[in-house]
């Protein structure tokens, strides 16, 4: 069995990781970091004149709670929920696509890309659309180099974008661009807030970074910007309140100080701020 199938079974099979576990117990997303993230998404929807948000891969629905408090109508989509055939409003997928299992490939000693098997050993020669995707988006150079073939993510996102009617879709994830792909790929496991070996037995989350540029190519006029840039445009700032406020209004000072700390985490260029937002050009 190829790794992609094992990965799929491990996360979404009858006893899979996401059938049993809550994401927040195992890793921290922007949604968990601060309500400021959801408030920025609400501003984006409002600036685009949209009153509904569809949150795909909603986890425990934390983003939806913030958005509802901001007056938006929210549809959470999780495993087993059928994606509506027509999507209206602002569609958000925060850290969904890195959890969409994809084929893994490695260059063998003869320079031929081969699929990786469930136990990460070399299998069949990569062919067809997978080979085309590799050549276009992630050419492998040296024997032992590894890639995650992003086709499954591109297809999943293309399916979402193809259902839009009077709506816009934004995918937010950690990822890379063609000129910065990591030589050995990014396959990683997470368990209880820590990285672990990505063993496909259902005991841990398994994730791989998203090829953000190939994803943007399935969106008409698609582009990639960093989360830091996107959130700054949407008014998030990590500026600390003036110290003077601590004397005139200490409670407000403390609340603004705490918000500045949360904003700093969302904007951190070495962390969440480096995430990519894939969106139609001109939306921000
Ligand atoms: C990393 S979690 C992100 C949760 C949340 N969006 C957040 O930012 O905290 C990925 C989520 O995507 C969900 N998921 C995976 N495949 C899905 C699918 N085909 N349809 C809906 N949800 C899916 C998983 O169940 C999981 O809750």
């Amino acid at each position: 069995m190829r790794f992609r199938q094992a990965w799929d079974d491990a996360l979404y099979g009858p006893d899979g990781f996401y059938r049993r576990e809550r994401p927040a117990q195992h890793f921290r997303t922007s949604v968990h970091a601060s309500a400021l993230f959801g408030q920025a998404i609400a501003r984006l929807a409002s600036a685009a004149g949209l009153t509904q948000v569809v949150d795909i891969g909603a986890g425990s629905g934390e983003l939806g709670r913030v958005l509802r408090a901001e007056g938006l109508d929210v549809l959470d989509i999780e495993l087993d929920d059928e994606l509506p055939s027509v999507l209206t409003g602002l569609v958000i997928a925060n850290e969904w696509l890195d959890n969409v299992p994809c084929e893994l490939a490695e260059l063998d000693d003869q320079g031929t890309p081969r699929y990786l098997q469930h136990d990460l050993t070399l299998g069949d020669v990569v062919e067809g659309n997978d080979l085309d995707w590799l050549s276009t988006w992630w050419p492998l150079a040296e024997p032992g180099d590894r890639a995650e073939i992003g086709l499954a993510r591109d297809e999943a996102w293309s399916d979402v974008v193809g259902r839009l009617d009077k709506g816009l879709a934004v995918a937010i994830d950690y990822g890379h661009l063609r000129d910065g792909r990591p030589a050995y790929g990014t396959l990683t496991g997470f368990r209880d807030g820590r990285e672990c070996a990505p063993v496909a037995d259902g005991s841990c989350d398994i994730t791989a970074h998203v090829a953000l540029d190939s994803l943007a190519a399935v969106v008409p006029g698609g582009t990639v910007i960093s989360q830091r840039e996107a959130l700054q445009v949407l008014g998030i700032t990590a500026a600390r309140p003036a110290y003077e406020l601590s004397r005139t209004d200490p409670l407000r000072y403390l609340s603004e100080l705490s918000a500045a700390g949360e904003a700093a985490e969302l904007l951190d260029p070495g962390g969440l701020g480096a995430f990519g937002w894939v969106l139609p050009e001109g939306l921000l």
Side-chain angles (χ1 to χ4, degrees):
M1 187 199 296
R2 289 198 197 144
F3 192 85
R4 177 186 175 179
Q5 184 61 57
W7 182 355
D8 201 57
D9 294 345
L11 296 194
Y12 308 118
D15 194 31
F17 181 83
Y18 279 109
R19 303 276 172 201
R20 310 184 318 266
E21 305 288 339
R22 280 193 319 116
Q25 283 175 285
H26 297 275
F27 46 82
R28 184 172 165 88
T29 68
S30 296
V31 168
H32 309 135
S34 175
L36 291 171
F37 179 76
Q39 289 158 4
I41 300 284
R43 281 198 289 282
L44 177 62
S46 140
L50 302 170
T51 56
Q52 189 183 43
V53 177
V54 181
D55 182 13
I56 303 185
S60 306
E62 295 94 336
L63 177 61
R65 281 196 277 284
V66 176
L67 295 171
R68 284 184 195 99
E70 294 293 314
L72 289 156
D73 199 17
V74 182
L75 178 63
D76 288 333
I77 299 286
E78 249 305 315
L79 292 178
D80 300 334
D81 291 333
E82 204 171 317
L83 198 59
S85 53
V86 175
L87 292 168
T88 49
L90 179 62
V91 177
I92 296 287
N94 188 59
E95 294 201 34
W96 167 42
L97 293 164
D98 62 276
N99 275 139
V100 169
C102 60
E103 299 287 2
L104 308 186
E106 185 174 314
L107 216 55
D108 71 12
D109 288 342
Q110 279 69 49
T112 304
R114 292 184 173 272
Y115 292 109
L116 289 179
Q117 309 264 76
H118 63 98
D119 55 359
L120 297 177
T121 57
L122 295 179
D124 294 340
V125 171
V126 176
E127 53 189 18
N129 293 342
D130 287 335
L131 188 60
D132 291 344
W133 190 94
L134 265 190
S135 322
T136 308
W137 294 108
W138 195 332
L140 296 170
E142 304 286 335
D145 282 1
R146 235 184 226 189
E148 291 106 25
I149 302 178
L151 192 59
R153 281 89 179 269
D154 294 355
E155 286 174 351
W157 197 237
S158 177
D159 178 44
V160 167
V161 170
R163 293 170 192 241
L164 286 172
D165 181 31
K166 298 193 195 78
L168 297 163
V170 181
I172 303 169
D173 231 306
Y174 36 88
H176 37 59
L177 302 175
R178 195 184 141 131
D179 58 4
R181 309 269 191 236
Y184 304 113
T186 60
L187 190 72
T188 311
F190 279 97
R191 188 188 300 119
D192 300 328
R194 300 226 175 117
E195 275 190 40
C196 63
V199 182
D201 61 1
S203 68
C204 61
D205 181 30
I206 299 178
T207 166
H209 287 45
V210 176
L212 297 166
D213 40 7
S214 80
L215 201 66
V218 307
V219 179
T223 189
V224 184
I225 64 172
S226 72
Q227 167 148 308
R228 181 178 172 81
E229 199 184 337
L231 290 183
Q232 282 175 333
V233 172
L234 291 167
I236 302 265
T237 165
R240 288 161 155 256
Y243 188 64
E244 174 67 12
L245 190 63
S246 67
R247 281 192 283 114
T248 56
D249 189 344
L251 283 182
R252 186 161 156 220
Y253 177 78
L254 282 179
S255 138
E256 287 188 14
L257 196 60
S258 151
E262 291 177 10
E265 182 177 357
L266 293 174
L267 299 173
D268 178 6
L272 294 172
F275 277 41
W277 285 37
V278 174
L279 68 186
E281 197 166 19
L283 180 57
L284 274 178

